[in-house]
Amino acid sequence: MKNTTYQLTDHAGLYTLSVRMVIGWTYFSAFWRRLVLENKLDPEVKGYIGEKFNHFLPNALGIKPAIEYLVTHPDALHTSMVVFTIIEAIVGLAVIFGLFTRLMSIGIFGLALGILLGSGWLGTTCLDEWQIGVLGIAGGFTLFLTGSGPFSLDDYFLKKKISFTSKKWFPWLASGHLPIQNPRYFVLTGSVFIMGLTLFTNQYFHGGVWGTLHNKSVQPKVEISNLSLNRNTIHFEVYRTEGADVYGSFLIGIHILDKDGIILKALTQKELSELQSENIQNHYVARVKPGKHSLIIPLGAKADLKFNIEDISDKRNMIHRVKLIDISGAEWFADL
């Protein structure tokens, strides 16, 4: 029985070969998509990965301050996106080839945790990003336990008896028998932690354990704040916090109302589509901007908007509320 047990332990890395290759490609493909198939690391091109990162901001868990810092500092954001992409490429390729597998599995665990905390709430039709995150964490932990078996560079180094394979650090960072006493407790503790993280984030992001299910990626939501009046202008801040990340909220109307809901001034769809840059002060890399038929507010975008009200200066004291109208029919209000 003992021989059978050791044989299974020695071949554990072989049994996770498909897991290793698929997880490795999952992360290496991020580099492949961003630089080889398309250039998504250029801040000036459509689809810049920094804007995607900005989409994570409104409902990220625990890492919101770090995301906000980056999206308000474009140079730091670009540098971090380049570094992040290089790390994904190195980790993914090394996992595919089974090079220093346990060290790279820690990288997989960390990358997957970042995905989970940053974008676990996203997914218009199912829990896309949450599933990617939790499965990546579990996969990274599994690869750390098994290392790589045959068909890996770690195994090649071991068979060739290269000098560093005899070092104490090699089985911890690469492959081979994992030198842990009482591995059952280590595996149980890690598995219980990952299961707890899975249930907690499933509930936090989606209400998936008890209560009412919710999906913040379906309907757009725009928050309005800091509504104020100057002599001839009205100012307020808009912040898109929910809805699909693949397209913006399309604002087709803004109404300035009195306390009875009577329209004092209406900005039309055409006027919003022709809004000038001096009327929009963006905070982040995801930018509020005029489109062909509306004012576009991408997910995670925050901006100060300014409109001239000189034409209703005689009704200035009657202004009580602002209403924003989305093309979907959604409406958002803020009181002065």
Side-chain angles (χ1 to χ4, degrees), residues 146-215:
T146 66
S148 293
F151 315 112
S152 71
L153 290 176
D154 287 347
D155 186 65
Y156 173 81
F157 296 149
L158 284 166
K159 286 179 178 177
K160 291 295 183 179
K161 297 182 179 179
I162 296 175
S163 59
F164 59 75
T165 61
S166 62
K167 303 294 184 181
K168 289 184 177 180
W169 54 261
F170 185 81
W172 285 103
L173 301 183
S175 297
H177 179 71
L178 188 61
I180 294 178
Q181 293 183 347
N182 299 320
R184 289 185 179 183
Y185 296 109
F186 180 80
V187 174
L188 178 62
T189 301
S191 299
V192 169
F193 170 77
I194 292 170
M195 185 59 180
L197 181 65
T198 298
L199 294 176
F200 170 72
T201 53
N202 191 205
Q203 176 63 27
Y204 180 85
F205 289 130
H206 305 287
V209 180
W210 70 84
T212 305
L213 279 169
H214 55 265
N215 188 342

Side-chain angles (χ1 to χ4, degrees), residues 19-279:
V19 174
R20 197 186 87 212
M21 289 187 167
V22 170
I23 288 181
W25 174 253
T26 299
Y27 288 91
F28 179 76
S29 67
F31 162 83
W32 191 258
R33 293 193 312 272
R34 291 173 202 159
L35 278 180
V36 179
L37 300 182
E38 294 183 65
N39 183 5
K40 294 187 176 182
L41 289 177
D42 184 348
E44 302 302 322
V45 303
K46 185 177 180 181
Y48 171 48
I49 188 63
E51 291 188 20
K52 175 71 174 179
F53 191 68
N54 197 157
H55 296 163
F56 300 167
L57 177 61
N59 298 289
L61 173 60
I63 59 173
K64 192 179 290 188
I67 297 176
E68 185 161 25
Y69 174 83
L70 290 174
V71 298
T72 53
H73 296 79
D75 290 341
L77 175 63
H78 181 256
T79 299
S80 66
M81 293 297 98
V82 171
V83 171
F84 187 71
T85 299
I86 292 172
I87 290 173
E88 285 184 305
I90 293 172
V91 169
L93 201 61
V95 167
I96 290 172
F97 286 100
L99 175 63
F100 289 101
T101 304
R102 290 196 170 109
L103 176 61
M104 297 303 148
S105 73
I106 296 172
I108 293 290
F109 189 98
L111 290 169
L113 183 63
I115 291 171
L116 176 65
L117 298 180
S119 59
W121 63 281
L122 286 170
T124 53
T125 57
C126 62
L127 314 186
D128 301 334
E129 304 291 341
W130 175 80
Q131 290 173 339
I132 292 171
V134 294
L135 290 173
I137 289 171
F141 182 63
T142 299
L143 290 179
F144 181 82
L145 295 175
T146 66
S148 293
F151 315 112
S152 71
L153 290 176
D154 287 347
D155 186 65
Y156 173 81
F157 296 149
L158 284 166
K159 286 179 178 177
K160 291 295 183 179
K161 297 182 179 179
I162 296 175
S163 59
F164 59 75
T165 61
S166 62
K167 303 294 184 181
K168 289 184 177 180
W169 54 261
F170 185 81
W172 285 103
L173 301 183
S175 297
H177 179 71
L178 188 61
I180 294 178
Q181 293 183 347
N182 299 320
R184 289 185 179 183
Y185 296 109
F186 180 80
V187 174
L188 178 62
T189 301
S191 299
V192 169
F193 170 77
I194 292 170
M195 185 59 180
L197 181 65
T198 298
L199 294 176
F200 170 72
T201 53
N202 191 205
Q203 176 63 27
Y204 180 85
F205 289 130
H206 305 287
V209 180
W210 70 84
T212 305
L213 279 169
H214 55 265
N215 188 342
K216 295 180 179 180
S217 298
V218 176
Q219 295 293 333
K221 179 181 178 182
V222 175
E223 296 178 357
I224 312 168
S225 60
N226 300 329
L227 179 61
S228 64
L229 292 174
N230 287 337
R231 183 173 181 180
N232 293 316
T233 57
I234 186 168
H235 304 252
F236 54 89
E237 181 183 87
V238 292
Y239 182 27
R240 166 104 180 276
T241 58
E242 294 182 15
D245 57 328
V246 292
Y247 54 85
S249 168
F250 302 103
L251 212 61
I252 60 171
I254 295 179
H255 292 173
I256 300 173
L257 311 172
D258 67 9
K259 64 180 182 179
D260 297 319
I262 296 173
I263 299 174
L264 303 175
K265 180 180 176 70
L267 292 160
T268 66
Q269 183 175 349
K270 185 175 186 299
E271 289 173 306
L272 292 174
S273 68
E274 297 173 350
L275 201 61
Q276 300 300 305
S277 58
E278 58 263 26
N279 296 96

Side-chain angles (χ1 to χ4, degrees), residues 1-7:
M1 179 65 70
K2 287 185 178 180
N3 290 337
T4 303
T5 302
Y6 286 129
Q7 187 176 7

